[in-house]
Amino acid sequence: MSVDQVLNHLKKHGQLLDLEIASATGLAIDQVRKSLADLTSRGEISQCSVTHFNGDKRIDGFQCRISGYVPPVAPGRKAGPTKDGASD
């Protein structure tokens, strides 16, 4: 149950820290980390370890996102080659 809850939360909100997932879903951090490990082993998410500092306090966690997610292209004009092929 918690694995599905964590996966759905990541699908809805994108890349998040494990602490953010635990806070938003109301699950214990240990339960969230176990769910993330299960999802990583199945290849459904990718995760990396991160360290943040809040003053002198060290906070270790995992940053997670859905595997294979490519963000959409930003709107607006894109840089391209010049007409004569020369670049400045």
Side-chain angles (χ1 to χ4, degrees):
M1 170 79 174
S2 63
V3 173
D4 293 332
Q5 192 174 2
V6 169
L7 184 61
N8 289 335
H9 191 74
L10 281 171
K11 284 180 179 178
K12 184 176 180 181
H13 297 285
Q15 182 170 296
L16 295 169
L17 292 169
D18 56 348
L19 297 171
E20 294 169 330
I21 297 168
S23 175
T25 60
L27 298 170
I29 189 67
D30 292 335
Q31 193 174 14
V32 169
R33 288 182 177 167
K34 183 181 180 321
S35 297
L36 293 174
D38 290 344
L39 291 167
T40 300
S41 68
R42 294 191 321 209
E44 295 190 41
I45 67 167
S46 60
Q47 70 178 12
C48 63
S49 59
V50 293
T51 302
H52 294 278
F53 289 92
N54 188 2
D56 290 339
K57 183 180 179 185
R58 178 182 171 144
I59 303 170
D60 294 315
F62 296 103
Q63 190 163 33
C64 310
R65 64 179 173 86
I66 302 297
S67 289
Y69 174 74
V70 177
V73 177
R77 293 182 59 178
K78 308 296 180 252
T82 59
K83 289 183 182 181
D84 62 4
S87 59
D88 295 306

